[in-house]
Coordinates of all heavy atoms in Angstrom, one line a residue:
M1190 N 18.4 -19.0 -12.1 CA 17.6 -18.9 -13.3 C 18.1 -19.9 -14.3 O 19.2 -19.7 -14.9 CB 17.7 -17.5 -13.9 CG 17.2 -16.4 -12.9 SD 15.4 -16.4 -12.8 CE 14.9 -15.5 -14.3
I1191 N 17.4 -20.9 -14.6 CA 17.8 -21.9 -15.6 C 17.0 -21.6 -16.9 O 15.8 -21.6 -16.9 CB 17.6 -23.4 -15.1 CG1 18.5 -23.6 -13.9 CG2 18.0 -24.4 -16.2 CD1 18.9 -24.9 -13.5
C1192 N 17.7 -21.5 -18.0 CA 17.1 -21.2 -19.3 C 16.3 -22.4 -19.7 O 16.8 -23.5 -19.8 CB 18.1 -20.8 -20.3 SG 17.4 -20.4 -21.9
E1193 N 15.0 -22.1 -20.0 CA 14.1 -23.2 -20.5 C 14.5 -23.6 -21.9 O 14.2 -24.7 -22.4 CB 12.6 -22.8 -20.5 CG 12.1 -22.6 -19.1 CD 10.7 -21.9 -19.1 OE1 10.0 -22.1 -20.0 OE2 10.4 -21.2 -18.1
Q1194 N 15.1 -22.8 -22.6 CA 15.4 -23.0 -24.1 C 16.7 -23.8 -24.2 O 16.7 -24.8 -25.0 CB 15.5 -21.7 -24.8 CG 15.5 -21.8 -26.3 CD 15.2 -20.5 -27.0 OE1 14.1 -20.0 -26.9 NE2 16.3 -19.9 -27.6
C1195 N 17.8 -23.4 -23.5 CA 19.1 -24.1 -23.8 C 19.6 -24.8 -22.5 O 20.6 -25.5 -22.6 CB 20.1 -23.1 -24.3 SG 20.6 -21.9 -23.2
G1196 N 19.0 -24.6 -21.3 CA 19.4 -25.3 -20.1 C 20.6 -24.6 -19.4 O 21.1 -25.2 -18.4
T1197 N 21.0 -23.5 -19.9 CA 22.2 -22.8 -19.3 C 21.7 -22.1 -18.0 O 20.6 -21.5 -17.9 CB 22.7 -21.7 -20.2 OG1 23.1 -22.3 -21.5 CG2 23.9 -21.0 -19.6
E1198 N 22.6 -22.3 -16.9 CA 22.3 -21.7 -15.6 C 22.8 -20.2 -15.7 O 23.9 -20.0 -16.0 CB 22.9 -22.4 -14.5 CG 22.3 -22.0 -13.2 CD 22.7 -22.9 -12.0 OE1 23.1 -24.1 -12.3 OE2 22.7 -22.4 -10.9
N1199 N 21.9 -19.3 -15.3 CA 22.2 -17.9 -15.3 C 22.1 -17.4 -13.9 O 21.5 -17.9 -13.0 CB 21.2 -17.1 -16.2 CG 21.4 -17.4 -17.7 OD1 22.3 -16.8 -18.3 ND2 20.7 -18.3 -18.2
P1200 N 22.8 -16.3 -13.6 CA 22.8 -15.7 -12.2 C 21.4 -15.3 -11.9 O 20.6 -14.9 -12.7 CB 23.7 -14.5 -12.3 CG 23.9 -14.2 -13.8 CD 23.7 -15.5 -14.5
P1201 N 21.0 -15.3 -10.6 CA 19.7 -15.0 -10.1 C 19.3 -13.5 -10.5 O 20.2 -12.6 -10.4 CB 19.7 -15.1 -8.6 CG 20.9 -15.9 -8.3 CD 21.9 -15.7 -9.4
G1202 N 18.2 -13.3 -11.0 CA 17.7 -11.9 -11.4 C 18.1 -11.6 -12.8 O 17.9 -10.4 -13.2
A1203 N 18.7 -12.5 -13.5 CA 19.1 -12.2 -14.9 C 17.9 -12.0 -15.7 O 16.9 -12.7 -15.6 CB 20.0 -13.3 -15.4
L1204 N 18.0 -11.0 -16.7 CA 16.8 -10.7 -17.5 C 16.9 -11.5 -18.8 O 15.9 -11.8 -19.4 CB 16.8 -9.2 -17.8 CG 16.5 -8.3 -16.6 CD1 16.6 -6.9 -17.0 CD2 15.1 -8.6 -16.0
F1205 N 18.1 -11.8 -19.3 CA 18.3 -12.5 -20.5 C 19.3 -13.7 -20.3 O 20.2 -13.7 -19.4 CB 18.9 -11.6 -21.6 CG 18.0 -10.5 -22.0 CD1 18.2 -9.3 -21.4 CD2 17.0 -10.7 -22.9 CE1 17.3 -8.2 -21.7 CE2 16.2 -9.6 -23.3 CZ 16.4 -8.4 -22.7
C1206 N 19.1 -14.8 -21.0 CA 20.0 -15.9 -21.0 C 21.4 -15.5 -21.6 O 21.4 -14.9 -22.6 CB 19.4 -17.1 -21.8 SG 20.6 -18.5 -21.9
Q1207 N 22.4 -15.9 -20.8 CA 23.8 -15.5 -21.3 C 24.2 -16.2 -22.5 O 25.0 -15.8 -23.3 CB 24.8 -15.8 -20.2 CG 24.6 -14.8 -19.0 CD 25.6 -15.2 -17.8 OE1 26.0 -16.3 -17.7 NE2 25.9 -14.2 -17.0
K1208 N 23.6 -17.4 -22.8 CA 24.0 -18.2 -23.9 C 23.2 -17.9 -25.2 O 23.7 -17.5 -26.2 CB 24.0 -19.7 -23.6 CG 24.7 -20.6 -24.6 CD 24.6 -22.0 -24.2 CE 25.3 -22.9 -25.2 NZ 25.1 -24.3 -24.9
C1209 N 21.8 -18.0 -25.0 CA 21.0 -17.9 -26.2 C 20.2 -16.6 -26.3 O 19.6 -16.3 -27.3 CB 20.0 -19.1 -26.3 SG 18.7 -19.0 -25.0
G1210 N 20.3 -15.8 -25.2 CA 19.6 -14.5 -25.2 C 18.1 -14.5 -25.0 O 17.5 -13.5 -25.2
R1211 N 17.6 -15.7 -24.6 CA 16.2 -15.8 -24.3 C 15.8 -14.9 -23.2 O 16.5 -14.8 -22.1 CB 15.8 -17.2 -24.0 CG 14.3 -17.4 -23.7 CD 14.1 -18.9 -23.2 NE 12.7 -19.1 -23.1 CZ 12.0 -18.8 -22.0 NH1 12.6 -18.3 -21.0 NH2 10.7 -19.1 -21.9
Q1212 N 14.7 -14.1 -23.3 CA 14.3 -13.2 -22.3 C 13.5 -14.0 -21.2 O 12.6 -14.7 -21.5 CB 13.4 -12.1 -22.8 CG 13.1 -11.0 -21.8 CD 12.3 -9.8 -22.4 OE1 12.0 -9.8 -23.6 NE2 12.0 -8.9 -21.6
F1213 N 13.9 -13.8 -19.9 CA 13.2 -14.4 -18.8 C 12.0 -13.6 -18.4 O 12.0 -12.4 -18.5 CB 14.1 -14.6 -17.6 CG 15.3 -15.5 -17.8 CD1 16.6 -15.1 -17.6 CD2 15.0 -16.8 -18.3 CE1 17.6 -15.9 -17.9 CE2 16.1 -17.6 -18.5 CZ 17.4 -17.2 -18.3
E1214 N 10.9 -14.3 -18.0 CA 9.7 -13.6 -17.5 C 10.0 -13.0 -16.1 O 10.6 -13.7 -15.2 CB 8.6 -14.5 -17.4 CG 8.0 -14.9 -18.8 CD 6.9 -16.0 -18.7 OE1 6.3 -16.1 -17.7 OE2 6.9 -16.7 -19.7
V1215 N 9.7 -11.7 -15.9 CA 9.9 -11.1 -14.6 C 8.8 -11.6 -13.7 O 7.6 -11.6 -13.9 CB 9.8 -9.5 -14.8 CG1 10.0 -8.9 -13.4 CG2 10.8 -9.0 -15.8
Q1216 N 9.3 -12.1 -12.5 CA 8.4 -12.7 -11.6 C 7.9 -11.7 -10.6 O 8.7 -11.0 -9.9 CB 9.1 -13.9 -10.8 CG 9.4 -15.0 -11.7 CD 10.1 -16.2 -11.0 OE1 10.7 -15.9 -9.9 NE2 10.2 -17.3 -11.6
Q1217 N 6.6 -11.5 -10.5 CA 6.0 -10.6 -9.6 C 5.7 -11.4 -8.3 O 5.0 -12.4 -8.3 CB 4.7 -10.0 -10.2 CG 4.9 -9.1 -11.4 CD 5.5 -7.8 -11.0 OE1 5.5 -7.4 -9.9 NE2 6.1 -7.1 -12.0
E1218 N 6.2 -10.8 -7.2 CA 6.0 -11.5 -5.9 C 4.6 -11.3 -5.3 O 4.2 -12.0 -4.4 CB 7.1 -11.0 -4.9 CG 8.5 -11.4 -5.3 CD 8.7 -12.9 -5.3 OE1 8.1 -13.6 -4.4 OE2 9.4 -13.4 -6.2
V1219 N 3.9 -10.2 -5.7 CA 2.6 -9.9 -5.2 C 1.5 -10.9 -5.7 O 1.3 -10.9 -6.9 CB 2.2 -8.5 -5.4 CG1 0.9 -8.2 -4.8 CG2 3.3 -7.5 -4.9
P1220 N 0.9 -11.7 -4.9 CA -0.2 -12.6 -5.4 C -1.4 -11.8 -5.9 O -1.6 -10.7 -5.5 CB -0.6 -13.3 -4.1 CG 0.4 -13.1 -3.1 CD 1.1 -11.8 -3.4
A1221 N -2.0 -12.3 -6.9 CA -3.1 -11.6 -7.6 C -4.2 -11.2 -6.6 O -4.8 -10.2 -6.8 CB -3.7 -12.5 -8.7
S1222 N -4.5 -12.1 -5.7 CA -5.6 -11.8 -4.8 C -5.4 -10.6 -3.9 O -6.2 -9.8 -3.7 CB -5.9 -13.1 -3.9 OG -4.7 -13.4 -3.1
V1223 N -4.1 -10.5 -3.4 CA -3.7 -9.3 -2.6 C -3.8 -8.1 -3.4 O -4.3 -7.1 -3.0 CB -2.3 -9.5 -2.0 CG1 -1.9 -8.3 -1.3 CG2 -2.3 -10.7 -1.1
Y1224 N -3.3 -8.2 -4.7 CA -3.3 -7.0 -5.5 C -4.7 -6.5 -5.8 O -5.0 -5.3 -5.7 CB -2.6 -7.4 -6.9 CG -2.5 -6.3 -7.8 CD1 -1.4 -5.4 -7.7 CD2 -3.4 -6.1 -8.8 CE1 -1.3 -4.3 -8.6 CE2 -3.3 -5.0 -9.7 CZ -2.2 -4.1 -9.6 OH -2.1 -3.1 -10.5
S1225 N -5.6 -7.4 -6.1 CA -7.0 -7.0 -6.4 C -7.7 -6.4 -5.2 O -8.4 -5.5 -5.3 CB -7.8 -8.1 -7.0 OG -7.9 -9.1 -6.0
Q1226 N -7.4 -6.9 -4.0 CA -8.0 -6.4 -2.8 C -7.5 -5.0 -2.5 O -8.3 -4.2 -2.0 CB -7.7 -7.3 -1.6 CG -8.7 -8.5 -1.4 CD -8.8 -8.9 0.0 OE1 -7.9 -8.8 0.8 NE2 -9.9 -9.4 0.4
Q1227 N -6.2 -4.8 -2.7 CA -5.7 -3.4 -2.4 C -6.2 -2.4 -3.4 O -6.2 -1.2 -3.1 CB -4.1 -3.5 -2.6 CG -3.5 -4.1 -1.4 CD -2.0 -4.2 -1.5 OE1 -1.5 -4.2 -2.6 NE2 -1.2 -4.3 -0.4
H1228 N -6.7 -2.8 -4.5 CA -7.2 -1.8 -5.5 C -8.7 -1.8 -5.7 O -9.2 -1.4 -6.7 CB -6.5 -2.0 -6.8 CG -5.0 -1.7 -6.8 ND1 -4.1 -2.6 -6.2 CD2 -4.3 -0.6 -7.1 CE1 -2.9 -2.0 -6.3 NE2 -3.0 -0.8 -6.8
K1229 N -9.4 -2.3 -4.7 CA -10.8 -2.3 -4.7 C -11.3 -1.7 -3.4 O -10.7 -2.0 -2.3 CB -11.3 -3.8 -4.8 CG -12.7 -3.9 -5.5 CD -13.0 -5.3 -5.8 CE -13.7 -5.9 -4.6 NZ -14.1 -7.3 -4.8
L1230 N -12.3 -0.9 -3.5 CA -12.8 -0.3 -2.3 C -13.7 -1.3 -1.5 O -14.7 -1.8 -2.1 CB -13.6 1.0 -2.7 CG -14.0 1.9 -1.5 CD1 -12.8 2.3 -0.7 CD2 -14.7 3.1 -2.1
F1231 N -13.5 -1.4 -0.3 CA -14.3 -2.3 0.6 C -14.3 -1.8 2.0 O -13.4 -1.1 2.4 CB -13.9 -3.8 0.4 CG -12.5 -4.0 0.9 CD1 -12.2 -4.4 2.2 CD2 -11.4 -3.9 0.0 CE1 -10.9 -4.6 2.6 CE2 -10.1 -4.1 0.4 CZ -9.9 -4.4 1.7
R1232 N -15.2 -2.4 2.8 CA -15.2 -2.1 4.2 C -14.5 -3.2 5.0 O -14.6 -4.4 4.6 CB -16.6 -1.9 4.8 CG -17.3 -0.8 4.1 CD -18.7 -0.6 4.8 NE -19.7 -1.6 4.4 CZ -20.2 -2.4 5.3 NH1 -19.9 -2.4 6.5 NH2 -21.1 -3.3 4.8
C1233 N -13.7 -2.9 6.0 CA -12.9 -3.9 6.7 C -13.8 -4.6 7.7 O -14.3 -4.0 8.6 CB -11.7 -3.2 7.4 SG -10.4 -2.8 6.3
A1234 N -14.0 -5.9 7.5 CA -14.8 -6.7 8.4 C -14.2 -6.8 9.8 O -14.9 -7.0 10.8 CB -15.1 -8.0 7.8
N1235 N -12.9 -6.8 9.9 CA -12.2 -7.0 11.2 C -11.7 -5.7 11.7 O -10.8 -5.6 12.6 CB -11.1 -8.0 11.0 CG -10.2 -7.7 9.9 OD1 -10.5 -6.8 9.0 ND2 -9.0 -8.3 9.8
D1236 N -12.1 -4.5 11.2 CA -11.7 -3.2 11.8 C -12.8 -2.2 11.6 O -12.8 -1.4 10.7 CB -10.4 -2.8 11.1 CG -9.9 -1.5 11.8 OD1 -10.4 -1.1 12.8 OD2 -9.1 -0.8 11.2
K1237 N -13.9 -2.4 12.3 CA -15.1 -1.5 12.1 C -15.3 -0.6 13.3 O -16.3 -0.8 14.0 CB -16.3 -2.3 11.7 CG -16.4 -3.7 12.3 CD -17.7 -4.3 12.0 CE -17.8 -5.2 10.8 NZ -19.0 -5.9 10.6
V1238 N -14.5 0.4 13.4 CA -14.7 1.4 14.4 C -15.9 2.3 14.0 O -16.8 2.6 14.8 CB -13.5 2.3 14.6 CG1 -13.8 3.5 15.5 CG2 -12.3 1.5 15.2
L1239 N -16.0 2.6 12.7 CA -17.1 3.4 12.2 C -17.7 2.6 11.0 O -17.8 3.1 9.9 CB -16.6 4.8 11.7 CG -16.3 5.7 12.8 CD1 -15.5 6.9 12.3 CD2 -17.5 6.2 13.6
G1240 N -18.0 1.3 11.2 CA -18.5 0.5 10.1 C -17.5 0.0 9.1 O -17.9 -0.7 8.2
G1241 N -16.2 0.3 9.4 CA -15.2 -0.3 8.5 C -15.0 0.6 7.3 O -14.1 0.2 6.4
V1242 N -15.7 1.7 7.1 CA -15.6 2.5 5.9 C -14.2 3.2 5.9 O -13.5 3.2 4.9 CB -16.7 3.5 5.8 CG1 -16.5 4.5 4.6 CG2 -18.1 2.8 5.7
C1243 N -13.8 3.7 7.0 CA -12.5 4.5 7.1 C -11.4 3.5 6.8 O -10.4 3.9 6.1 CB -12.4 5.2 8.4 SG -13.3 6.7 8.5
S1244 N -11.4 2.4 7.4 CA -10.3 1.4 7.2 C -10.2 0.9 5.8 O -9.1 0.7 5.3 CB -10.4 0.3 8.3 OG -11.7 -0.2 8.4
G1245 N -11.4 0.7 5.2 CA -11.4 0.3 3.8 C -10.9 1.4 2.9 O -10.1 1.1 2.0
L1246 N -11.2 2.6 3.2 CA -10.7 3.8 2.4 C -9.2 3.9 2.6 O -8.5 4.2 1.7 CB -11.4 5.1 2.9 CG -12.8 5.4 2.3 CD1 -13.4 6.6 3.0 CD2 -12.7 5.7 0.8
A1247 N -8.7 3.6 3.8 CA -7.3 3.7 4.1 C -6.5 2.7 3.3 O -5.5 3.1 2.7 CB -7.1 3.5 5.6
V1248 N -7.0 1.5 3.2 CA -6.3 0.5 2.5 C -6.4 0.8 1.0 O -5.4 0.7 0.3 CB -7.0 -0.9 2.7 CG1 -6.4 -2.0 1.8 CG2 -6.8 -1.3 4.2
Y1249 N -7.5 1.3 0.5 CA -7.7 1.7 -0.9 C -6.8 2.8 -1.3 O -6.2 2.8 -2.4 CB -9.2 2.1 -1.1 CG -9.5 2.4 -2.5 CD1 -9.6 1.4 -3.5 CD2 -9.7 3.7 -2.9 CE1 -9.9 1.7 -4.8 CE2 -10.0 4.1 -4.2 CZ -10.1 3.1 -5.2 OH -10.4 3.4 -6.5
S1250 N -6.6 3.8 -0.4 CA -5.8 5.0 -0.8 C -4.4 4.9 -0.3 O -3.6 5.8 -0.4 CB -6.5 6.2 -0.3 OG -6.7 6.1 1.1
N1251 N -4.0 3.8 0.4 CA -2.7 3.6 1.0 C -2.4 4.7 2.0 O -1.2 5.0 2.2 CB -1.6 3.6 -0.1 CG -1.5 2.2 -0.7 OD1 -1.6 1.2 0.0 ND2 -1.2 2.2 -2.0
L1252 N -3.4 5.2 2.7 CA -3.2 6.1 3.8 C -3.3 5.4 5.1 O -3.9 4.3 5.2 CB -4.2 7.3 3.7 CG -4.0 8.2 2.5 CD1 -5.2 9.2 2.5 CD2 -2.7 9.0 2.7
D1253 N -2.8 6.1 6.2 CA -2.9 5.5 7.5 C -4.4 5.6 7.9 O -5.1 6.6 7.7 CB -2.1 6.3 8.5 CG -2.0 5.6 9.8 OD1 -2.8 5.8 10.7 OD2 -1.0 4.8 10.0
V1254 N -4.9 4.5 8.6 CA -6.3 4.5 8.9 C -6.7 5.6 9.9 O -7.8 6.2 9.9 CB -6.8 3.1 9.4 CG1 -6.0 2.8 10.7 CG2 -8.3 3.0 9.6
S1255 N -5.7 5.9 10.8 CA -6.0 7.0 11.8 C -6.1 8.4 11.1 O -7.0 9.2 11.5 CB -4.8 7.1 12.8 OG -4.6 5.8 13.3
L1256 N -5.3 8.5 10.0 CA -5.4 9.8 9.3 C -6.7 9.9 8.5 O -7.3 11.0 8.5 CB -4.2 9.8 8.2 CG -4.1 11.1 7.4 CD1 -3.7 12.2 8.3 CD2 -3.1 10.9 6.3
V1257 N -7.2 8.8 8.0 CA -8.5 8.8 7.3 C -9.6 9.1 8.2 O -10.5 9.9 7.9 CB -8.7 7.5 6.5 CG1 -10.1 7.4 5.9 CG2 -7.7 7.3 5.5
R1258 N -9.6 8.5 9.4 CA -10.6 8.7 10.4 C -10.6 10.2 10.9 O -11.6 10.8 11.0 CB -10.4 7.8 11.7 CG -10.7 6.4 11.4 CD -11.1 5.6 12.6 NE -11.4 4.3 12.3 CZ -10.6 3.2 12.5 NH1 -9.4 3.4 13.0 NH2 -10.9 2.0 12.1
L1259 N -9.4 10.7 11.0 CA -9.2 12.1 11.5 C -9.8 13.1 10.4 O -10.6 14.0 10.7 CB -7.7 12.5 11.7 CG -7.4 13.9 12.2 CD1 -7.9 14.0 13.7 CD2 -5.9 14.1 12.2
L1260 N -9.5 12.8 9.1 CA -10.0 13.6 8.0 C -11.5 13.5 7.9 O -12.2 14.5 7.7 CB -9.4 13.1 6.7 CG -7.9 13.5 6.4 CD1 -7.4 12.8 5.2 CD2 -7.9 15.0 6.2
A1261 N -12.0 12.3 8.2 CA -13.5 12.1 8.1 C -14.2 12.9 9.2 O -15.2 13.5 8.9 CB -13.8 10.6 8.3
I1262 N -13.6 12.9 10.4 CA -14.2 13.7 11.5 C -14.1 15.2 11.2 O -15.1 15.9 11.4 CB -13.5 13.3 12.8 CG1 -13.8 11.9 13.2 CG2 -13.8 14.3 13.9 CD1 -12.9 11.3 14.3
L1263 N -12.9 15.6 10.7 CA -12.8 17.1 10.4 C -13.8 17.5 9.3 O -14.4 18.5 9.4 CB -11.3 17.3 9.9 CG -10.3 17.3 11.0 CD1 -8.9 17.4 10.4 CD2 -10.5 18.4 12.0
L1264 N -13.9 16.6 8.2 CA -14.8 16.9 7.1 C -16.3 16.9 7.6 O -17.1 17.6 7.2 CB -14.6 15.9 6.0 CG -13.4 16.1 5.1 CD1 -13.2 14.9 4.2 CD2 -13.6 17.4 4.3
F1265 N -16.5 16.0 8.6 CA -17.9 15.9 9.2 C -18.3 17.3 9.8 O -19.4 17.8 9.6 CB -18.0 14.8 10.2 CG -19.3 14.7 10.8 CD1 -20.4 14.2 10.2 CD2 -19.5 15.1 12.1 CE1 -21.6 14.1 10.8 CE2 -20.7 15.0 12.8 CZ -21.8 14.5 12.1
F1266 N -17.3 17.8 10.6 CA -17.6 19.1 11.3 C -17.7 20.2 10.3 O -18.4 21.2 10.4 CB -16.6 19.4 12.4 CG -16.8 18.6 13.6 CD1 -15.9 17.6 14.0 CD2 -18.0 18.8 14.4 CE1 -16.1 16.9 15.2 CE2 -18.2 18.0 15.5 CZ -17.3 17.1 15.9
A1267 N -16.9 20.1 9.2 CA -16.8 21.2 8.2 C -18.0 21.2 7.3 O -18.5 22.2 6.9 CB -15.5 21.1 7.4
S1268 N -18.5 20.0 7.0 CA -19.6 19.9 6.0 C -21.0 19.7 6.6 O -22.0 19.7 5.9 CB -19.3 18.8 5.0 OG -19.4 17.5 5.7
G1269 N -21.0 19.5 7.9 CA -22.3 19.3 8.5 C -22.8 17.9 8.2 O -22.1 16.9 8.3
T1270 N -24.1 17.8 7.8 CA -24.7 16.5 7.7 C -24.4 15.8 6.3 O -24.6 14.6 6.2 CB -26.2 16.6 7.8 OG1 -26.7 17.5 6.9 CG2 -26.6 16.9 9.2
S1271 N -23.9 16.5 5.3 CA -23.7 15.9 4.0 C -22.7 14.8 4.0 O -22.9 13.8 3.4 CB -23.3 17.0 3.0 OG -22.1 17.6 3.4
L1272 N -21.6 14.9 4.8 CA -20.6 13.8 4.8 C -21.2 12.6 5.6 O -21.0 11.5 5.3 CB -19.3 14.3 5.5 CG -18.2 13.2 5.5 CD1 -17.6 13.1 4.1 CD2 -17.2 13.5 6.6
F1273 N -22.0 12.9 6.6 CA -22.7 11.9 7.4 C -23.6 11.0 6.5 O -23.6 9.8 6.5 CB -23.5 12.5 8.5 CG -24.2 11.4 9.4 CD1 -23.4 10.6 10.3 CD2 -25.5 11.2 9.3 CE1 -24.1 9.7 11.0 CE2 -26.2 10.3 10.1 CZ -25.4 9.5 10.9
I1274 N -24.3 11.7 5.6 CA -25.2 11.0 4.7 C -24.3 10.2 3.7 O -24.6 9.1 3.4 CB -26.1 12.1 3.9 CG1 -27.1 12.7 4.9 CG2 -26.8 11.4 2.8 CD1 -27.8 13.9 4.4
A1275 N -23.2 10.8 3.2 CA -22.3 10.1 2.3 C -21.8 8.9 2.9 O -21.6 7.8 2.3 CB -21.2 11.1 1.8
Y1276 N -21.4 9.0 4.2 CA -20.9 7.9 5.0 C -21.9 6.8 5.1 O -21.5 5.6 4.9 CB -20.5 8.4 6.4 CG -19.5 7.5 7.1 CD1 -18.1 7.8 7.0 CD2 -19.9 6.3 7.7 CE1 -17.2 7.0 7.6 CE2 -18.9 5.5 8.3 CZ -17.6 5.9 8.3 OH -16.7 5.1 8.9
I1277 N -23.1 7.1 5.4 CA -24.2 6.1 5.4 C -24.4 5.4 4.1 O -24.5 4.2 4.0 CB -25.5 6.7 5.9 CG1 -25.4 7.3 7.3 CG2 -26.6 5.7 5.9 CD1 -25.1 6.3 8.4
I1278 N -24.3 6.2 3.0 CA -24.5 5.6 1.7 C -23.3 4.7 1.4 O -23.5 3.6 0.9 CB -24.6 6.7 0.6 CG1 -25.9 7.5 0.8 CG2 -24.5 6.2 -0.8 CD1 -26.0 8.8 0.0
A1279 N -22.1 5.1 1.7 CA -20.9 4.3 1.5 C -21.0 3.0 2.3 O -20.6 1.9 1.8 CB -19.6 5.1 2.0
W1280 N -21.5 3.1 3.5 CA -21.7 1.9 4.4 C -22.6 0.9 3.7 O -22.4 -0.3 3.7 CB -22.3 2.4 5.7 CG -22.2 1.4 6.8 CD1 -22.0 0.1 6.7 CD2 -22.4 1.7 8.2 NE1 -22.0 -0.5 8.0 CE2 -22.2 0.5 8.9 CE3 -22.7 2.8 8.9 CZ2 -22.4 0.4 10.3 CZ3 -22.8 2.8 10.3 CH2 -22.6 1.5 11.0
I1281 N -23.6 1.4 3.0 CA -24.6 0.6 2.3 C -24.0 -0.1 1.1 O -24.2 -1.3 0.8 CB -25.9 1.3 2.1 CG1 -26.6 1.7 3.4 CG2 -26.9 0.5 1.2 CD1 -27.6 2.8 3.3
I1282 N -23.4 0.8 0.2 CA -23.0 0.3 -1.1 C -21.6 -0.4 -1.2 O -21.4 -1.2 -2.0 CB -23.0 1.5 -2.2 CG1 -22.0 2.5 -1.8 CG2 -24.4 2.0 -2.3 CD1 -21.8 3.6 -3.0
I1283 N -20.7 -0.1 -0.2 CA -19.4 -0.7 -0.3 C -19.4 -2.1 0.3 O -19.9 -2.2 1.4 CB -18.3 0.2 0.4 CG1 -18.2 1.6 -0.3 CG2 -17.0 -0.5 0.4 CD1 -17.4 2.5 0.5
P1284 N -19.0 -3.1 -0.4 CA -19.0 -4.5 0.1 C -18.1 -4.7 1.3 O -17.0 -4.0 1.3 CB -18.6 -5.3 -1.1 CG -17.9 -4.4 -2.0 CD -18.4 -3.1 -1.8
E1285 N -18.4 -5.6 2.1 CA -17.6 -5.9 3.3 C -16.6 -7.0 2.9 O -16.9 -8.0 2.2 CB -18.4 -6.3 4.5 CG -17.7 -6.3 5.8 CD -18.6 -6.5 7.0 OE1 -18.9 -7.7 7.2 OE2 -19.1 -5.5 7.6
A1286 N -15.3 -6.9 3.4 CA -14.3 -7.9 3.1 C -13.3 -8.0 4.2 O -13.2 -7.1 5.0 CB -13.6 -7.6 1.8
E1287 N -12.6 -9.1 4.2 CA -11.5 -9.3 5.2 C -10.4 -8.3 4.9 O -10.0 -8.2 3.8 CB -11.0 -10.7 5.2 CG -11.8 -11.7 5.9 CD -12.0 -11.4 7.4 OE1 -10.9 -11.2 8.1 OE2 -13.1 -11.4 7.9
C1288 N -10.0 -7.6 5.9 CA -9.0 -6.6 5.7 C -7.6 -7.2 5.9 O -7.4 -8.0 6.7 CB -9.2 -5.4 6.8 SG -8.6 -3.9 6.2
I1289 N -6.7 -6.7 5.0 CA -5.3 -7.3 5.1 C -4.3 -6.2 5.4 O -4.6 -5.0 5.1 CB -4.9 -8.0 3.7 CG1 -5.3 -7.0 2.6 CG2 -5.6 -9.3 3.6 CD1 -4.5 -7.4 1.3
G1290 N -3.2 -6.6 6.0 CA -2.1 -5.7 6.2 C -2.3 -4.6 7.2 O -1.6 -3.6 7.1
E1291 N -3.3 -4.7 8.0 CA -3.5 -3.6 9.0 C -2.5 -3.7 10.2 O -2.3 -4.8 10.7 CB -5.0 -3.7 9.6 CG -5.3 -2.8 10.7 CD -5.6 -1.3 10.2 OE1 -5.7 -1.1 9.0 OE2 -5.6 -0.5 11.0
Ligands
LIG1918 ZN1 19.4 -20.0 -23.1

């Protein structure tokens, strides 16, 4: 960490310059594109066992995709046709995107 203000070299991860006290900007390692994809609901184009809705929901909610599929199947049997209709609607309205981190 080299201070832009006075040029003093500080230890890595330092929050403030040891000489002039200038505050360093905290560097976020997560790229903006990955961040936005993780926080947006979409269907996985490369993982579409059931149209990609479950895998998209899994990425969105940070749950395991197998768990989401299991829940979807259980809910389907519990609720009858209403979840099936909701699934079809989700399939239509949720945009398709490349899935990451599967
Ligand atoms: Zn400084």
Side-chain angles (χ1 to χ4, degrees):
M1190 299 288 282
I1191 300 207
C1192 177
E1193 290 171 31
Q1194 193 164 289
C1195 67
T1197 303
E1198 194 170 337
N1199 290 277
L1204 295 174
F1205 297 94
C1206 173
Q1207 290 175 336
K1208 193 178 178 186
C1209 69
R1211 181 186 185 274
Q1212 188 173 0
F1213 295 125
E1214 284 171 33
V1215 180
Q1216 291 178 347
Q1217 294 288 342
E1218 293 298 320
V1219 181
S1222 59
V1223 173
Y1224 183 82
S1225 63
Q1226 274 208 330
Q1227 281 176 339
H1228 291 80
K1229 208 173 88 180
L1230 189 55
F1231 61 91
R1232 297 187 286 118
C1233 287
N1235 52 346
D1236 183 15
K1237 31 170 93 170
V1238 173
L1239 290 166
V1242 175
C1243 282
S1244 43
L1246 278 170
V1248 173
Y1249 182 74
S1250 57
N1251 276 326
L1252 291 170
D1253 191 273
V1254 64
S1255 308
L1256 184 68
V1257 174
R1258 288 204 179 104
L1259 186 68
L1260 284 171
I1262 290 163
L1263 288 173
L1264 282 169
F1265 176 75
F1266 283 115
S1268 68
T1270 54
S1271 56
L1272 185 77
F1273 180 73
I1274 292 164
Y1276 201 98
I1277 297 295
I1278 293 168
W1280 196 343
I1281 294 164
I1282 64 170
I1283 298 172
E1285 195 172 83
E1287 280 299 308
C1288 212
I1289 48 161
E1291 175 78 8

